Amino acid sequence: MGVFVWFSVMYVMLGMQAFIFYWFICNILCFIGVVYASGLATTDAIIRLLKSGDHIVCMDDVYGGTNRLFRKIVSKANLETTFVDATKISNVSEAMRSNTRLVWIETPTNPTMKLVDIQAVANIVKNHSDVILVVDNTFSSSYFQRPLELGADIVIHSMTKYMNGHSDVVMGACATNNDDIGANLRFLQYAGGAVPSPFDCFLANRGLKTLPVRMREHMKNGLAVAKWLEDNPRVETVKHPGLPSHPQYEIGQRQMRGYSGMLGFYIRGGLEEAKTFLKSLKVFTLAESLGGFESLAEHPAIMTHASVAPEERKVLGIGDNFIRLSVGLEDVDDLIDDLDQALKAAVPKL
């Protein structure tokens, strides 16, 4: 009798877990999409849509994990990747080959906040048969940017970041408006097993309920910090797509409804000044993640993008004095005061 009860309870529990899991998929992805155990697991599944001998065109400025996966793992499967600066649309067109089957872009990019014209890239891709356009939308979230409406075939999110927003889940997701691609991705999830737990799905679904409120506050705080930094003599340059000084500002005005709390800046000096700044922060936390309610700071050259070759980092603009901020939901005056005292500690003399 005891064994029967135990199996009955387990059956009900597993059934409830499956309900939560699939309810979450339907809620976030409108039935045409899949959630995975991490953002990189999602990227890996998309790559498995390809076959040996296929060619990939990828934005050169991407998340360090994406760069590492393409260069160190994907290359071993007889898949060649050409990295280009996709902010210049002609570079994408010139990189296309007869065997190109995937174009991968981020916008805004991680970590230097470049913007890529999604619709322009989509127009190029549509002139080639059997090519999939993927847009990593992690830095914007679906609240501020909708790549599928601009011509993308797949949009990918690291749910770990803004979509969940509470720094307590590791998860990835992708959505598509193509039934065949969706069916293939669901099979790859099933066959590969990179599924998130039902409890993580529950937590991420909870986070989505506050996405609009959170993103509006991230935008307000992020822009205030960016404007303050731009006027600070201890800062060389600020990278935020909401600043008119941003090289692709007009693109952002066209394809984005707003901006997250992500930005980057170059501190006056070099590595030592950057290290002193990061060590001096009190409200901002030194950490690699982003998109949560708390404000974070990191040094891409020695943290998130350490796996990128030094010569490549130089080309991308990831210098030793470059710092990335994820501006959270704290009081903006407290955040600016913290940045002010840390900058003065790092660059005491002008």
Side-chain angles (χ1 to χ4, degrees):
M1 180 66 179
V3 174
F4 173 78
V5 171
W6 184 84
F7 274 113
S8 297
V9 170
M10 288 301 295
Y11 178 81
V12 171
M13 289 176 63
L14 290 173
M16 180 58 68
Q17 287 180 343
F19 170 76
I20 293 171
F21 180 61
Y22 287 107
W23 173 53
F24 173 64
I25 292 175
C26 294
N27 190 27
I28 181 178
L29 302 175
C30 301
F31 296 96
I32 310 178
V34 191
V35 288
Y36 292 87
S38 70
L40 277 174
T42 311
T43 301
D44 182 70
I46 293 171
I47 296 302
R48 292 175 187 273
L49 294 171
L50 308 180
K51 65 181 186 303
S52 177
D54 286 346
H55 173 249
I56 302 166
V57 176
C58 182
M59 174 67 180
D60 56 1
D61 185 27
V62 290
Y63 165 54
T66 303
N67 184 295
R68 181 174 58 244
L69 181 69
F70 280 30
R71 292 186 184 276
K72 304 294 185 181
I73 306 298
V74 172
S75 59
K76 294 181 180 179
N78 194 30
L79 292 167
E80 185 180 356
T81 304
T82 300
F83 291 88
V84 300
D85 178 2
T87 62
K88 299 177 181 177
I89 299 302
S90 60
N91 290 343
V92 178
S93 182
E94 292 168 5
M96 300 294 286
R97 304 178 187 174
S98 60
N99 64 330
T100 300
R101 293 295 176 266
L102 186 71
V103 175
W104 187 287
I105 61 175
E106 279 185 18
T107 181
T109 63
N110 183 0
T112 62
M113 305 302 297
K114 296 168 188 161
L115 300 185
V116 179
D117 189 330
I118 299 172
Q119 196 160 33
V121 175
N123 290 337
I124 292 172
V125 169
K126 284 177 171 53
N127 288 328
H128 297 77
S129 59
D130 301 321
V131 181
I132 298 171
L133 173 59
V134 181
V135 177
D136 188 332
N137 201 36
T138 297
F139 267 33
S140 288
S141 85
S142 59
Y143 184 72
F144 283 139
Q145 186 169 259
R146 306 289 180 86
L148 295 180
E149 296 176 4
L150 297 169
D153 298 299
I154 301 175
V155 59
I156 178 175
H157 292 274
S158 173
M159 296 293 295
T160 310
K161 313 304 193 304
Y162 281 112
M163 297 290 274
N164 175 57
H166 289 72
S167 301
D168 55 6
V169 165
V170 175
M171 187 187 296
C174 61
T176 178
N177 49 17
N178 183 298
D179 290 336
D180 293 334
I181 292 175
N184 286 332
L185 287 170
R186 282 193 291 271
F187 174 76
L188 287 167
Q189 182 214 44
Y190 164 74
V195 297
S197 73
F199 187 63
D200 281 346
C201 292
F202 165 78
L203 289 175
N205 191 62
R206 165 221 56 187
L208 287 172
K209 294 174 182 177
T210 61
L211 181 65
V213 172
R214 288 188 288 104
M215 295 312 295
R216 289 194 293 268
E217 288 299 305
H218 281 300
M219 176 177 172
K220 183 181 73 174
N221 283 0
L223 269 172
V225 167
K227 291 175 180 177
W228 182 85
L229 286 170
E230 193 169 45
D231 291 334
N232 194 296
R234 291 176 170 83
V235 173
E236 292 181 356
T237 311
V238 180
K239 299 293 185 181
H240 186 292
L243 295 175
S245 59
H246 191 284
Q248 293 91 40
Y249 175 76
E250 295 301 327
I251 293 175
Q253 292 292 293
R254 290 201 313 268
Q255 70 183 23
M256 303 173 73
R257 297 171 54 201
Y259 313 98
S260 68
M262 298 306 302
L263 64 98
F265 71 94
Y266 296 88
I267 191 171
R268 287 201 180 278
L271 182 59
E272 289 308 311
E273 286 76 11
K275 284 183 175 181
T276 301
F277 169 81
L278 292 168
K279 290 177 182 177
S280 302
L281 291 169
K282 298 176 181 178
V283 179
F284 281 82
T285 300
L286 179 63
E288 289 193 358
S289 193
L290 61 99
F293 56 85
E294 69 281 80
S295 292
L296 306 177
E298 69 110 1
H299 190 280
I302 57 178
M303 294 173 70
T304 53
H305 290 70
S307 61
V308 179
E311 59 273 16
E312 293 172 28
R313 292 201 301 265
K314 184 177 181 180
V315 171
L316 296 173
I318 308 173
D320 286 342
N321 66 332
F322 183 71
I323 294 165
R324 191 190 76 182
L325 300 181
S326 174
V327 181
L329 306 180
E330 301 91 342
D331 182 85
V332 70
D333 290 333
D334 289 343
L335 295 175
I336 289 175
D337 287 345
D338 191 33
L339 294 171
D340 188 39
Q341 63 84 22
L343 283 169
K344 287 176 178 175
V347 189
K349 297 181 180 179
L350 295 175

